[in-house]
Amino acid sequence: MRLRNIPRADSVLNECKEVVKNGAEYRGRWREVFGNSNPVHIEIGMGKGQFLLTLAKQNPKINYIGIERYSSVLLRAVEKLQNDSEIPLSNIRFICMDARSVADVFAFGEINCIYLNFSDPWPKARHAPRRLTSREFLSRYHKLLASDGVIEFKTDNRLLFDFSVAEVNASSEFDLVGSTYDLHHDIEMNQGNIMTEYEEKFSALGNPIYKLIASPKDLH
């Protein structure tokens, strides 16, 4: 996907106190960044931020970190935060980085939940390792998650979802806790669901939304 460059994005992100400029400096110390011992949840590929900002408002005793590779996309999340004066949020941070570097930024067992929402499907077979639910990425996540942590993944792409279920089942590090091929009509799985911008768009078109939850096997 070709993204439009926004020249002011870098300057806005540099001036925003919620944007962490060098995440690796805080590896193992993220609770110090927030000034509390609350659980830390991250969203990888957060897009424009609707999902994470909603969670942060609803759950003030959970710390949230949004990871987005593209500054022009992260800019939209920052603007949402800055333009929403309803509730000042102290429990959210952003990082502009590639997801492949997550193990350099977060320490062993430091994260309680990883959200993956409507990730790039990388449809060509040779690009499968780049998918955020590939075994290569699952191995990275296993290093970050607490023993009782979880991964929550949502998509409207059936091929990506089938691939993701197969990758979790084939992994030596994760168990598939739950899955659904029609989230919005699954009473149990849809409880407390927060919709992303993409989710609202695709579900309005009648597309089913798929979701899985995976947890680390007891290897710690």
Side-chain angles (χ1 to χ4, degrees), residues 99-100 129-132 134-141:
R100 288 174 293 187
R130 300 186 186 184
R131 298 169 190 163
L132 293 183
S134 68
R135 266 171 280 181
E136 286 82 353
F137 273 97
L138 290 176
S139 184
R140 291 183 175 103
Y141 305 149

Side-chain angles (χ1 to χ4, degrees), residues 32 52 74-75 103 132 136 138 157 176:
E32 294 178 24
L52 208 66
L74 180 53
L75 171 66
L132 293 183
E136 286 82 353
L138 290 176
N157 187 304
L176 186 64

